[in-house]
C-alpha cells in the first residue's frame, strides 16, 4: 500500500548484509532536516482525502465482513470447529482493526486530509471505538515526537538507568518463564495501563493519566479536548454495555473484546520494537537534539502484516522526521531519504516474533565504560 499502489520499501543488498545490531553513528549528522526534505519528491507530502478514505473504507469493509462471518456462522459450527474458528477470527479481526487504529493515528498527525476538523472527527470516532482516548493520545504522542530518545523529556518508552533497576527485574529477565509472563502482560495490558496510570511513560512528580484533564501531561488549552476524549470512551462503553445486555457478555468478549486486546498488543509490540534496540542511543540534555533523537529509531519488517498495518512498521524513521506524510507515500519517501541518511538509517529484518524476545531483554541503558560521550546511553542486555 505505497506510493505506487502496492509498493514496498526496497531493501538493498548492503542493508541485508549489514549487522542489524551495529550501532548507528552518534556524531552530529552531516545533513540537516532541510537536506532530507529536498530529497523527497514534493508529491509525497500531498494528502489525498479520496485516497485516504479508500483505505479507511477498505478496512471498515474487511472488519465488517469478519464480524458478519463470526456472528453468523461460527456459533452454528460443531463445538470442536468453534475452538479453531474463534482464534482465526480474533487474529484476522485484530489485525485489520489495528489497521483502523493506524489510520486514526495518522489523523492525529493531520496526514489523513487537508482538513483538521475532518482528521480529528475520523480519528476521534475510530480511536473511541477501539477504547483509545483520541485527543489524549494525540497530545502525548505529539510530545513523544518532539522529544524522541530524550531521557528527561520523551513521553513514552523511557528506558531505566541501570542504577534505578529494582532488585527483582534481573530475576525475571533471566528466567525464561518469568520473562515470557512479563512479556505477555506487557503486550496485553501495557497500553491500557499507559492510558490509565502512565506506565512506561515519562516520570512526573505527581500522578499522570490520559483520562485526567488536569494530568501534568497536558496544558490548560488541551483540557477540554481531554474531556471530549473521555466522553467518547464513555459513549463507547455505554454501547458495549447495551450490547452485552442484549447479546450476552461472552458474545461481546468473543466478537469485540479479544480483537481489541490484540489491537493493543500489536500497538505495544510495534512501538516497543521501534524504540528498543541495541543499536540505538538515548541522550541526556547535554547531548540531545531533535534530529539526533528522531534518527534513533529503527524500521522493521512484519511480513504480510506490514501491509495490513499500512506500512507503519517499515517507514518509522521517516515518520519521526516528517509525520505529516501519509502512509501511502511513505515508502517512496523512505527510499528517497536512504541515500541522504546513509549509516544513520537503521533497518532490522529480524522476524518480529524473534526480535521481541531478543529486544525485550533490553531492560536498561547506561554509558559505555570509559567513553568520552558522557551524555549518550545505550541499551544493554542483561
Amino acid at each position: 500500500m505505497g506510493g505506487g499502489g502496492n509498493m514496498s520499501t526496497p531493501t538493498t543488498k548492503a542493508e541485508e548484509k549489514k549487522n542489524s545490531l551495529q550501532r548507528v553513528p552518534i556524531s552530529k549528522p552531516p545533513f540537516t532536516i532541510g537536506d532530507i526534505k529536498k530529497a523527497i519528491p514534493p508529491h509525497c507530502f500531498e494528502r489525498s482525502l479520496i485516497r485516504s478514505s479508500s483505505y479507511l473504507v477498505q478496512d471498515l469493509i474487511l472488519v465488517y465482513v469478519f464480524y458478519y462471518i463470526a456472528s453468523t456462522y461460527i456459533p452454528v459450527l460443531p463445538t470442536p470447529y468453534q475452538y479453531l474458528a474463534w482464534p482465526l477470527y480474533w487474529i484476522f479481526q485484530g489485525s485489520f482493526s489495528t489497521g483502523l487504529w493506524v489510520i486514526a493515528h495518522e489523523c492525529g498527525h493531520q496526514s489523513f486530509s487537508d482538513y483538521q476538523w475532518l482528521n480529528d472527527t475520523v480519528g476521534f470516532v475510530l480511536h473511541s471505538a477501539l477504547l483509545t482516548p483520541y485527543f489524549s493520545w494525540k497530545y502525548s504522542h505529539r510530545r513523544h515526537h518532539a522529544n524522541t530518545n530524550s531521557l528527561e523529556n520523551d513521553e513514552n518508552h523511557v528506558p531505566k538507568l541501570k542504577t534505578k533497576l529494582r532488585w527483582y527485574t534481573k530475576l525475571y529477565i533471566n528466567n525464561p518463564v518469568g520473562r515470557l509472563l512479563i512479556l505477555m502482560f506487557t503486550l496485553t495490558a501495557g497500553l491500557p495501563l499507559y492510558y490509565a496510570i502512565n506506565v512506561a511513560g515519562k516520570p512526573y512528580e505527581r500522578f499522570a493519566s490520559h483520562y485526567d484533564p488536569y494530568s501534568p501531561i497536558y496544558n490548560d488549552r488541551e483540557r477540554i479536548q481531554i474531556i471530549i476524549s473521555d466522553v467518547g470512551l464513555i459513549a463507547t462503553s455505554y454501547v458495549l454495555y447495551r450490547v452485552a445486555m442484549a447479546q450476552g457478555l461472552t458474545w461481546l468478549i468473543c466478537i469485540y473484546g479479544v480483537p481489541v486486546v490484540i489491537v493493543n498488543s500489536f500497538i505495544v509490540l510495534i512501538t516497543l520494537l521501534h524504540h528498543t534496540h541495541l543499536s540505538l542511543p538515548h541522550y541526556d540534555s547535554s547531548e540531545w537534539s531533535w534530529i539526533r533523537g528522531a534518527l534513533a529509531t529503527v524500521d522493521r519488517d512484519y511480513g504480510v502484516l506490514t501491509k495490513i498495518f499500512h506500512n507503519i512498521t517499515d517507514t518509522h524513521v521517516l515518520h519521526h522526521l516528517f509525520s505529516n506524510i501519509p502512509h501511502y507515500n511513505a515508502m517512496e519517501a523512505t527510499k528517497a531519504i536512504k541515500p541522504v541518511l546513509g549509516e544513520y538509517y537503521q533497518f532490522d529484518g529480524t522476524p518480529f516474533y524473534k526480535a521481541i524476545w531478543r529486544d525485550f531483554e533490553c531492560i536498561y541503558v547506561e554509558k559505555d565504560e570509559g567513553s568520552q560521550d558522557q551524555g549518550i546511553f545505550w541499551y544493554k542486555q542483561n
Side-chain angles (χ1 to χ4, degrees):
M1 296 180 184
N6 287 313
M7 288 177 55
S8 60
T9 307
T11 303
T12 66
K13 291 183 179 179
E15 289 169 354
E16 291 175 351
K17 293 180 180 179
K18 176 184 174 183
N19 178 5
S20 63
L21 299 182
Q22 179 181 330
R23 289 180 173 180
V24 299
I26 55 174
S27 57
K28 182 179 178 181
F31 47 78
T32 66
I33 191 66
D35 296 329
I36 304 172
K37 187 174 183 179
K38 288 178 183 177
I40 301 174
H43 70 264
C44 289
F45 292 92
E46 297 175 0
R47 298 163 291 190
S48 167
L49 176 57
I50 294 176
R51 193 166 184 188
S52 296
S53 298
S54 70
Y55 287 99
L56 172 59
V57 171
Q58 167 191 286
D59 285 354
L60 288 173
I61 290 174
L62 288 168
V63 166
Y64 176 77
V65 167
F66 285 116
Y67 157 76
Y68 179 80
I69 292 173
S71 61
T72 305
Y73 297 107
I74 294 182
V76 300
L77 289 174
T79 300
Y81 295 105
Q82 289 189 26
Y83 293 134
L84 175 63
W86 278 118
L88 288 175
Y89 164 73
W90 294 333
I91 292 170
F92 281 102
Q93 190 69 293
S95 297
F96 286 104
S97 294
T98 301
L100 285 174
W101 196 101
V102 171
I103 289 177
H105 161 261
E106 286 212 327
C107 290
H109 284 292
Q110 307 304 312
S111 57
F112 183 82
S113 76
D114 292 329
Y115 310 101
Q116 182 173 340
W117 68 268
L118 181 60
N119 295 333
D120 285 340
T121 300
V122 172
F124 174 72
V125 172
L126 292 178
H127 264 172
S128 296
L130 295 170
L131 295 179
T132 291
Y134 171 72
F135 290 106
S136 307
W137 165 269
K138 171 183 172 179
Y139 289 127
S140 67
H141 190 62
R142 179 182 295 177
R143 289 178 174 87
H144 162 61
H145 272 258
N147 300 282
T148 309
N149 281 27
S150 164
L151 286 175
E152 290 93 350
N153 298 312
D154 200 350
E155 194 60 46
N156 55 18
H157 290 291
V158 182
K160 293 184 180 297
L161 299 177
K162 184 178 182 180
T163 55
K164 295 185 178 181
L165 284 182
R166 296 180 178 178
W167 65 270
Y168 53 80
T169 303
K170 291 185 179 182
L171 294 180
Y172 71 71
I173 287 296
N174 287 332
N175 181 335
V177 175
R179 188 168 162 193
L180 178 62
L181 292 175
I182 296 298
L183 175 59
M184 296 305 297
F185 178 80
T186 299
L187 292 178
T188 55
L191 194 58
L193 288 176
Y194 173 62
Y195 296 151
I197 57 176
N198 204 39
V199 167
K202 175 183 175 180
Y204 287 96
E205 294 182 357
R206 61 185 179 88
F207 177 73
S209 170
H210 282 71
Y211 305 130
D212 178 9
Y214 291 94
S215 170
I217 301 172
Y218 309 111
N219 59 44
D220 291 339
R221 291 179 298 175
E222 296 164 346
R223 305 206 190 283
I224 184 63
Q225 290 177 299
I226 308 309
I227 294 174
I228 294 173
S229 294
D230 292 343
V231 171
L233 297 182
I234 292 170
T236 300
S237 299
Y238 177 73
V239 171
L240 295 175
Y241 166 75
R242 298 294 298 180
V243 171
M245 294 298 293
Q247 299 287 345
L249 182 60
T250 301
W251 186 91
L252 180 64
I253 291 174
C254 289
I255 289 291
Y256 175 84
V258 177
V260 167
V261 171
I262 290 176
V263 171
N264 291 341
S265 299
F266 275 135
I267 299 306
V268 172
L269 175 70
I270 291 167
T271 56
L272 191 153
L273 288 182
H274 277 155
H275 296 287
T276 306
H277 201 261
L278 288 170
S279 70
L280 302 178
H282 283 72
Y283 305 95
D284 68 14
S285 57
S286 67
E287 292 283 353
W288 183 87
S289 68
W290 180 84
I291 192 167
R292 293 177 85 183
L295 289 171
T297 184
V298 59
D299 284 349
R300 305 271 192 170
D301 181 14
Y302 283 59
V304 67
L305 290 174
T306 299
K307 297 303 178 185
I308 295 174
F309 298 161
H310 302 306
N311 291 92
I312 193 175
T313 59
D314 63 347
T315 61
H316 194 253
V317 175
L318 172 85
H319 178 65
H320 266 275
L321 295 168
F322 303 100
S323 58
N324 61 332
I325 291 182
H327 69 86
Y328 42 80
N329 292 333
M331 288 70 70
E332 182 180 357
T334 293
K335 181 181 178 181
I337 68 174
K338 285 181 183 180
V340 179
L341 300 186
E343 292 184 350
Y344 287 84
Y345 174 78
Q346 181 67 319
F347 174 86
D348 189 343
T350 305
F352 71 88
Y353 49 86
K354 293 183 179 180
I356 188 60
W357 185 254
R358 180 196 69 196
D359 294 340
F360 195 69
E361 193 178 352
C362 297
I363 57 176
Y364 63 87
V365 294
E366 65 176 350
K367 302 174 185 176
D368 283 340
E369 187 175 352
S371 173
Q372 299 301 311
D373 303 310
Q374 293 302 308
I376 301 176
F377 296 73
W378 299 92
Y379 271 113
K380 308 287 184 175
Q381 286 183 314
N382 185 39

